Every structure is written in structure tokens, then in C-alpha cells.
Amino acid sequence: MKKLSTAVLLLGAILVAAQESEEKGNQIEDIIIVGNRNVKRTKLETPVPVDVINIDKIQRSSPQMTAQDLLNYVIPSFNAVRQSASDGTEHIDPVTLRGMGPDQVLVLLNGKRRHSTSLVNYQNTVGNGSVGTDLSTVPVIAIDRIEVLRDGAAAQYGSDAIAGVINIILKKNTGASASLTYGLTGRNDGDTYQAGVNYGTSLGKKEGYINLSLQLSHRGKTTRTQNHDLDIFGDNFAYEFAGDAEAVKAARAADDAEIVKRGLTRDDFNFQIGDAQIRQGQLFFNSEYPFNDHFKLYSFGGFSIKEGEGFGFRRLPSEKSNVVSSIYPNGFQATLASQVYDVSYAVGAKYNVNDWLFDLSNTFGSNTFNYNVNNTNNASLGAKSPTSFYAGAHSFLQNTINLDVSKNINRFNIAFGGEFRFEQYQIKAGDEASYTQYDINGNVATEGSTVLGAGGSQSFIGFSPNNALKKDRHSTAVYADVSYDLDKKLNIDAAARFENYSDFGNTLNGKLAVRYEFVKNYAVRAAVGTGFRAPSLQQQYFNNSYADISTSGSKIVTKGIFSNDSEAAKILGFDKLKQETSVNASAGFTLKPLNNLTITIDGYWIKVKDRVVITSNITDKRLDQFKVESGRFFANAIDTETKGVDVVVSYDWILGNGKLNLNLAGNYTETKITDFHFPENLGTPQDQFFGPDQINIIETLSPKTKASLGLNYGIGKFSFLVRNTYFGKVIRDGYPFGDVQEFSPKVVTDISVGYDITKSINFTVGANNIFDVFPDRQIYKNSYYGVFKYAPVQMGTLGNYFFGRLNFNF
């Protein structure tokens, strides 16, 4: 906490997220529906911090085009960084809040629990070993606002709400709007196109409505690499580790001679590293129909299809066991083509009688991730190998039935209800050739068979029938919460929740939050509560084989991830996964010294016990029977402690004939591992069980300090945005092959200028990262022989990006 600079604290006491209010006014009086079930409070009256982000207004002037990218530049305790060469994680960005994991943030849509993805992050990125929710599946054109509750809320909403809650509110207005965006990086790649249209109309005579949104988008790939030091033809990687400079020099000279001999250049061996290409189409709806003053039906949901193309590690010509030379004489770099289908819908009814509000709903969501691997081979098939493979799929579905009852009685708001949730996870096998090793006769290889090379689709080995499974579970919960408001001077919230899971048992959690306004417009607030997170079905049952760098670092080998109930897990003595438990505490101030100045300062402390993570690569002779060099397992391996502070301030005033909004939001977060839990019979060193690289991901791979300082100025038909975002220092540990490297803090500057062509048409141009700021270059030992020029840390590796946008309102 003391490491948060005095300058940031002082600045934070003056200024807040500009995007919460554009030139047409602030939103201090926005009504909050997340955090408690009292819908009569504004965000300054809540006992816990809540940000209200008007996405509809922000997106008009911001370079960012998805919900997670917009939040990344508005809420400092929120982080999302694009990854490279990381299988499925290239296609779904992991997002975090307050330094916790992606699976410790609960996402709601219109106040109803939203399903997570089916993807497990296991490529040593931020959120390694976790399963998050893909915010990009909800089109920006459909979103009215996003409420971000920065406090533990498991006692109110159940599992996953340890770090906080993100509640996405869909538009319900009538009329029509549209948006067209085109953008390009300063390196003439990463071209983006987005077209969205929103239409709403009334239903019936009693304020019913239906609102429809369609959005199509494209994001081109980027290239951020250099290959001039790569050892292409000689099999001499080991010289690098041995420090034999003369041998390395000779190997590179031999490479250059062979390149000339083949009439090629080093550019013919490019290693593609950068953002994956993403194409996406989305159709969403939001509707409500009142039959009378007491009874109404509502429904909302949508469909999203995402097609991505990412890149795996390059297979070099020297890798004879992985490359079929007759097909790829110069080696190859496989592409991973994804098809991600996301479907959701909710149907509910509200009934109001004598001020008792009954809300009965059913919410369904599913996410299916299909893998196709192209420009690759199954080396064991030799020249007969296909070059494209269907590698299988995984899917997750969730169905939630809720009954919520609430009533305002004088100064009390009481609420109670129940929930039944069903979840199912499935892994489907790919083509036989995508996972099988064959002998020289084209038959499935058996022990002792003569083989030509490695089996399966290189870069991403397909899911086999041994990986395939279908698992499900259900949970039942009851909750109650009570809030008390005394003339907006004293607010007290108390909540309790009991939940039973079919696969691991019961949990009971509670929360108490208090806000007291000791002087008009000056208040203190505090909260304490317990929380939990049920291990996801994905963490319990995901398993596969994957290609990775060998322990020696000299070649590509096959490694395994084993499910928690697998024979391998039993042999090594891993316990059955159990729930994470947490204790949350927060305390802060809300101040409104002037009509146009608001300030909130909140400190927090989060203790998590039995956190579910994925282990490092464990090398054990008992795993030899599974034909992998090493194995990884999901386990309740660590306890963590997180502490930090948020500062959010906004100030508006009239300047000349226009309106200026100065704003700043700052966050400091520090997470430490306080204990490890080893299986008693494992007998492996900590570096293999949970090594320095895994500790680094939890503790120092995300910025501890982040701040956003923005200015919005509107005058006449013009609007101007200047926003500086500070990304603090991060540390990356290259273990077991590289070194520890510190990446210095960076400041990214966004600018835009908007002009109202007519009352209905606005044109905006601008840039993200106008000064082309990059993370520090990786040290050579961490760069895979110079290929990974930049690590995807802090703000990513896009560089500057320029855009133009037309907005229409009818």
C-alpha cells in the first residue's frame, strides 16, 4: 500500500474515469442495480464501490471497440491483455479485476448470471489455469451501460464473485442507431472493421419494448517479431544454453549459406507473432411486455459466432521428427483456426402485488470452441499426411432458474430467493489423424513399432477419444439480504447465502456493509464478508496432450494435462478439487465537496484459501506410461492475499462556451502467495510443482499500479478526448529457460476529435497509443532465440492505432 506514489494519491483526490460522463453531462445520479437489491440508490450511496460506465457514450469517442478493451482503459483495477502463440487464449482474452483470476469475477447480463467460456487458459498467460467469461461475445452496440462492483459479492450472487461483479445492461430504448468504424495500426496491419446497428420499438401501450442489435466486426492479424538470429537449419539450440558463442556463430553462418543455396531469404522463414485475426458476428435482443400494472414478461439474449486464426510455434527444417520434408522442405508454422459459438437467452416474469416484487426467470447459456489446425502435418504419416485437421472441440452450457422476491418496507428493503443451476462440460474428439501416431505401414503405432515421426497435428494435437468426456453437476442455493436506509445518511446491507453443489457439498457465506454520511456529501463506508468459488467443471475434467519446449529446451515434445480424477492424478496422490474460500474486507470514503466534483477512495483486502491453479510441468517416472515428457494437474495448491486501493474522481466545469470534464482513476494492487499445499506422496521439488514462472503469473505479471487521466471537452458541434493511461511495472520470469526481467512502466495516450455533422450524424477520428509506446524488448534468453521481440505484457504489443468512426442516431 505504501508503494502507491503520493503523486497518484494527490492526483486521485482531484480527478475519475472520463468515460463515465461525456460532454453532455455526468452520471452521478445513475441508479445502481448491482451490489444489493435496493434499486433506489445511486453510486455514491452504495456501501461498496460501484462504477457505472455508459458504454453507449464512451464508445463514440474511444479507439477501443470491445467491452473488455473499453473497460481496460477506464477502470484501472480491470486488466485485459491480448496474448500471442497461446492456442485458444489468443482467441478469447482473459480479463481480471483487482489482481485476481478471470474465474474470480462474476459476469451478469441484465442482472442474471452469464455463463463462462469452455476454454481453460493453460499457456502460461495471465489467468493461467482459470476459466473466464468472454465479454466480447456481447456486442458493444447492444450495451447501454456496465456496472462494475469492486467488492466481493459471493453472499449475494454465489460462486465466482470473490473479486467483484461486472453487470452488463442491454439497451431498451426505442429508435435507431448505427455505427461504422475503420482502423489501422501505424505498421499497416491489424486492420479493423466494425459495423453495428441497433433498433428499438415499443410493444403494447404500457411501456413495453423490444430492442435488437446486429454487429459485424473484423480484426486483422499483426506481426511483431524478428527472426534474424533464429537457428533455422542446424540443430544447435543447445549451444545457446551451453553458452558456446563460437558454435552459435558457426550455426548461423551455416544457416545463411543454406538459405542462399536454396535461393531464399530469412523472410521466407518468418515466425508469425502478434495478435490473431478475429472475425465476429453477433445478434442480440432485449424485450419486455407488460400485460398490466402488475404483471410483465421479459426476455433477452443473443448469438455470437467468432472465427479466429492464430499461429503456433514454427517447426524448423531441422526438426526431422516433427516435419515431413517432402511437404515442407523449409519447415512450417501451423495456424490454429477457431470457430466459437456462443448462445444465450433468458425468459422471465415479474409480478408486483402490494409492493411485493416477484421475479421468476430461466437463463441459459452455452459456449462451444471448435479447433481446426492448418498448414501442418502428422509427421508419422510421412508424405501421406494431410495438411489440415479438425482437432476436436470443447463446450460448456449452464442453465439457471431464479426466484427473487423483494419489498420496500419504510426504510427497509428485504429480499430473498432461491436458485437452481445445471452445468455441463464436454470434450469432443477430433479427426483420428489429428491425435494418432502411426507406424511405417500406416497402422496405429503400438509399443515397439517403427515410426517416421511424431503423431498428431503438429502445433496443436487433437483431442482423442481418451480425452473425450461429458460431465455435469447441479447446485441449489437460497439467499436473503436486508438493507436499511436512513434518509441517505446511514445505509446498512446484510446478506447470507447457502449453496449446495452435487460434486463437493455445502457452503454458507455472509456479508455486512455499512455507509455513514457524517457530514452532508461526506461519507465513510466499509464491508466485510466471506466468499467462495466452486472449482469449474473445466478445471475438474479438462485433459489433453500438447506440444511444448522440452525440459532441456532443445526440441519440441509432447506434454500432458491430466484431469483431476485421472489415473495419473491418483498415482501421484492429488486430492479431489474442493472449493476456494475467501474473506473480503474493504473501507473507504465518498466525497462530494462541490456539485461537480466527486471523489471515492477505497482500500481492500482479500484472503483466498485453497486457490485452484494448474501446476508446473511435473517430471515423474510414473508418468512414462502415459507417453508424455511431463504432466500438469489442477490442484488447490496455494493460498493468496491481495490488498490494494482504488481512487476515482471526476470534476466538471463550464469552460468558455463548452464543458470540460477532468477525470482520473487509479489503482494499486498487490497479491502474494502465503502458503503452498503439496500432495503428501508426490515427492517432487517445488520448482516442478508450482515453479517461479507460475508464482510470477500470480504475483507480478500484471501491473500493481495503473491509472487513467482523461480530459473530455465539448463545445458546439465539436468534442475532444485526451486520455493518458499509466501501466505500472511488471515482472516476467522466463523459468525454466530464461531469466527474470523487469518491464518498466509505460504511459499510453489516446486522442480523438468528434464533429456533429448533423443532429443525427457524428464523425470521430483519433488514435490509441498515439506515441507508439511498446513494452520493453525482451532479453534474449526470454525471447526464444530472438523471435519473441516483445512479451504481451501491460498494454500489449499493438503499437499505435488510428481510427475513424461514423455514428448515426435516428
Side-chain angles (χ1 to χ4, degrees):
M1 302 280 280
K2 293 182 180 178
K3 297 179 182 178
L4 184 62
S5 69
T6 303
V8 171
L9 281 174
L10 289 175
L11 212 54
I14 313 171
L15 301 165
V16 69
Q19 285 18 50
E20 292 187 25
S21 67
E22 208 190 19
E23 70 274 6
K24 294 184 180 179
N26 62 55
Q27 300 169 49
I28 291 173
E29 298 308 317
D30 280 338
I31 299 299
I32 304 300
I33 67 171
V34 72
N36 61 74
R37 290 174 170 83
N38 186 343
V39 297
K40 295 185 177 182
R41 290 180 182 166
T42 67
K43 64 185 181 182
L44 285 183
E45 296 170 359
T46 58
V48 293
V50 181
D51 296 310
V52 180
I53 311 301
N54 191 317
I55 293 294
D56 190 33
K57 292 183 178 180
I58 291 176
Q59 208 257 344
R60 174 176 296 210
S61 59
S62 294
Q64 294 76 30
M65 297 198 305
T66 63
Q68 72 266 23
D69 289 338
L70 287 165
L71 292 179
N72 198 35
Y73 283 85
V74 174
I75 301 177
S77 59
F78 179 97
N79 277 287
V81 181
R82 295 177 190 171
Q83 304 298 319
S84 298
S86 55
D87 290 349
T89 306
E90 276 194 278
H91 306 255
I92 298 177
D93 298 337
V95 302
T96 64
L97 189 65
R98 284 187 162 178
M100 307 299 288
D103 52 7
Q104 293 167 324
V105 181
L106 176 62
V107 177
L108 307 176
L109 186 65
N110 281 358
K112 305 297 182 181
R113 175 181 284 267
R114 186 157 176 82
H115 61 283
S116 68
T117 73
S118 58
L119 175 71
V120 177
N121 299 300
Y122 64 86
Q123 288 286 327
N124 288 344
T125 61
V126 172
N128 196 41
S130 66
V131 179
T133 300
D134 187 2
L135 298 183
S136 71
T137 57
V138 183
V140 170
I141 194 74
I143 301 174
D144 176 61
R145 68 184 190 274
I146 297 180
E147 300 170 347
V148 181
L149 168 64
R150 293 179 276 115
D151 197 69
Q156 294 137 300
Y157 296 103
S159 181
D160 307 343
I162 289 177
V165 178
I166 297 174
N167 185 26
I168 301 172
I169 307 297
L170 299 177
K171 291 179 181 177
K172 59 181 181 181
N173 56 289
T174 59
S177 62
S179 176
L180 293 172
T181 303
Y182 172 75
L184 189 69
T185 74
R187 288 158 182 77
N188 294 317
D189 60 5
D191 53 318
T192 56
Y193 309 86
Q194 187 179 82
V197 59
N198 176 267
Y199 175 73
T201 187
S202 58
L203 289 178
K205 300 179 180 180
K206 294 183 179 292
E207 299 182 351
Y209 63 87
I210 182 168
N211 187 280
L212 303 173
S213 300
L214 173 66
Q215 184 170 289
L216 304 174
S217 58
H218 164 90
R219 187 188 81 194
K221 71 175 184 178
T222 62
T223 301
R224 302 290 182 266
T225 186
Q226 58 184 16
N227 296 321
H228 300 296
D229 291 335
L230 187 61
D231 175 26
I232 296 173
F233 296 106
D235 195 7
N236 295 305
F237 286 144
Y239 295 141
E240 296 281 358
F241 290 94
D244 191 336
E246 290 301 318
V248 171
K249 185 177 180 180
R252 289 176 183 163
D255 277 357
D256 290 335
E258 183 65 25
I259 288 170
V260 172
K261 180 180 176 181
R262 297 192 186 191
L264 304 170
T265 69
R266 279 192 173 269
D267 288 338
D268 294 306
F269 300 89
N270 275 341
F271 200 137
Q272 170 66 38
I273 297 295
D275 292 345
Q277 174 181 282
I278 300 291
R279 292 192 299 265
Q280 195 164 13
Q282 298 152 299
L283 178 63
F284 264 63
F285 75 97
N286 187 27
S287 63
E288 187 172 278
Y289 184 79
F291 286 89
N292 51 50
D293 292 337
H294 301 286
F295 182 70
K296 65 179 67 174
L297 294 178
Y298 63 88
S299 184
F300 58 86
F303 173 76
S304 168
I305 179 171
K306 179 188 295 187
E307 294 182 342
E309 185 179 68
F311 295 82
F313 272 74
R314 203 182 197 288
R315 293 329 191 244
L316 305 178
S318 58
E319 297 179 51
K320 302 301 182 183
S321 64
N322 296 327
V323 178
V324 179
S325 298
S326 60
I327 302 176
Y328 298 109
N330 298 325
F332 63 87
Q333 185 176 14
T335 60
L336 181 63
S338 67
Q339 289 180 319
V340 186
Y341 299 97
D342 198 277
V343 180
S344 65
Y345 66 84
V347 178
K350 293 181 180 179
Y351 182 67
N352 191 329
V353 56
N354 296 326
D355 293 328
W356 284 95
L357 178 62
F358 297 83
D359 184 349
L360 177 64
S361 65
N362 186 90
T363 306
F364 173 85
S366 71
N367 179 273
T368 301
F369 197 122
N370 295 285
Y371 293 88
N372 295 278
V373 193
N374 303 314
N375 195 44
T376 185
N377 61 224
N378 181 327
S380 69
L381 284 172
K384 297 179 181 179
S385 172
T387 57
S388 294
F389 303 80
Y390 170 64
H394 44 67
S395 62
F396 175 75
L397 70 82
Q398 174 181 280
N399 193 82
T400 307
I401 300 173
N402 286 101
L403 174 62
D404 302 307
V405 182
S406 62
K407 180 179 176 63
N408 271 298
I409 304 175
N410 296 324
R411 295 188 175 95
F412 288 90
N413 186 86
I414 61 173
F416 58 89
E419 176 179 289
F420 178 81
R421 187 164 75 250
F422 174 82
E423 297 176 333
Q424 185 179 87
Y425 176 62
Q426 186 172 6
I427 297 176
K428 298 178 181 178
D431 297 336
E432 181 184 277
S434 74
Y435 58 80
T436 300
Q437 185 177 47
Y438 298 92
D439 63 22
I440 57 174
N441 298 315
N443 300 316
V444 177
T446 58
E447 189 171 350
S449 298
T450 301
V451 297
L452 296 174
S457 47
Q458 288 299 300
S459 180
F460 187 91
I461 300 173
F463 295 107
S464 75
N466 292 332
N467 301 128
L469 52 80
K470 181 186 286 188
K471 299 288 185 177
D472 59 59
R473 72 174 176 199
H474 62 268
S475 64
T476 305
V478 292
Y479 77 88
D481 66 43
V482 179
S483 63
Y484 173 76
D485 294 341
L486 178 61
D487 298 327
K488 298 185 178 182
K489 296 292 185 181
L490 176 65
N491 311 117
I492 302 175
D493 290 345
R497 186 183 186 94
F498 173 81
E499 195 148 356
N500 173 268
Y501 281 78
S502 61
D503 53 352
F504 73 81
N506 304 329
T507 178
L508 176 64
N509 293 276
K511 181 177 179 179
L512 178 65
V514 179
R515 174 187 178 272
Y516 177 63
E517 189 175 285
F518 55 92
V519 177
K520 185 178 181 180
N521 294 328
Y522 292 81
V524 294
R525 59 187 180 186
V528 62
T530 61
F532 74 102
R533 191 189 71 81
S536 66
L537 288 176
Q538 295 91 315
Q539 290 174 319
Q540 294 183 67
Y541 298 112
F542 177 77
N543 68 105
N544 79 334
S545 298
Y546 66 101
D548 198 5
I549 304 171
S550 66
T551 302
S552 66
S554 60
K555 58 182 179 179
I556 303 293
V557 298
T558 300
K559 300 179 180 180
I561 296 177
F562 296 91
S563 63
N564 186 251
D565 67 344
S566 65
E567 187 63 28
K570 294 175 184 176
I571 289 173
L572 297 187
F574 279 88
D575 295 327
K576 182 181 178 181
L577 288 181
K578 58 185 177 181
Q579 64 172 322
E580 302 173 354
T581 58
S582 68
V583 178
N584 292 60
S586 64
F589 303 90
T590 65
L591 305 87
K592 190 179 178 183
L594 303 172
N595 284 336
N596 296 324
L597 174 63
T598 62
I599 304 170
T600 65
I601 304 171
D602 294 278
Y604 54 90
W605 175 82
I606 308 169
K607 178 75 173 179
V608 180
K609 184 175 176 56
D610 298 321
R611 187 162 168 174
V612 179
V613 294
I614 190 170
T615 68
S616 297
N617 288 296
I618 295 173
T619 303
D620 192 297
K621 291 183 177 180
R622 290 173 288 180
L623 296 178
D624 291 348
Q625 60 184 293
F626 302 103
K627 298 181 180 180
V628 295
E629 185 197 59
S630 60
R632 305 180 76 181
F633 301 82
F634 290 93
N636 296 97
I638 59 174
D639 299 340
T640 62
E641 182 181 69
T642 300
K643 56 185 178 181
V645 62
D646 291 320
V647 178
V648 181
V649 192
S650 181
Y651 185 44
D652 296 278
W653 74 82
I654 302 300
L655 182 62
N657 294 321
K659 183 177 181 180
L660 178 66
N661 172 258
L662 286 174
N663 52 80
L664 178 138
N667 169 263
Y668 175 81
T669 294
E670 182 177 44
T671 297
K672 292 291 184 183
I673 296 174
T674 58
D675 199 7
F676 294 90
H677 307 297
F678 292 81
E680 292 182 3
N681 300 322
L682 184 57
T684 190
Q686 181 177 313
D687 284 358
Q688 286 192 26
F689 179 71
F690 203 73
D693 55 332
Q694 301 304 311
I695 295 173
N696 164 232
I697 291 171
I698 297 291
E699 295 188 341
T700 55
L701 190 55
S702 295
K704 291 184 178 181
T705 306
K706 187 178 169 187
S708 175
L709 173 63
L711 298 89
N712 272 310
Y713 184 62
I715 181 169
K717 295 184 177 182
F718 286 93
S719 61
F720 304 89
L721 165 70
V722 179
R723 178 176 59 209
N724 289 297
T725 304
Y726 172 88
F727 295 88
K729 177 185 73 175
V730 300
I731 297 173
R732 190 177 183 90
D733 194 327
Y735 180 88
F737 311 116
D739 288 339
V740 176
Q741 180 181 0
E742 180 179 300
F743 293 82
S744 59
K746 302 292 180 178
V747 175
V748 171
T749 302
D750 293 352
I751 64 169
S752 72
V753 179
Y755 177 73
D756 293 331
I757 300 173
T758 69
K759 290 183 178 181
S760 302
I761 302 174
N762 171 270
F763 179 60
T764 300
V765 294
N768 167 238
N769 195 3
I770 184 68
F771 298 117
D772 202 31
V773 177
F774 275 79
D776 296 342
R777 290 192 179 189
Q778 290 207 105
I779 57 176
Y780 188 77
K781 287 186 176 181
N782 288 355
S783 67
Y784 192 65
Y785 311 98
V787 174
F788 288 85
K789 184 177 179 181
Y790 300 102
V793 296
Q794 296 153 306
M795 66 284 182
T797 61
L798 188 66
N800 52 17
Y801 165 82
F802 303 90
F803 80 100
R805 179 177 295 125
L806 274 171
N807 294 285
F808 305 88
N809 288 285
F810 306 104

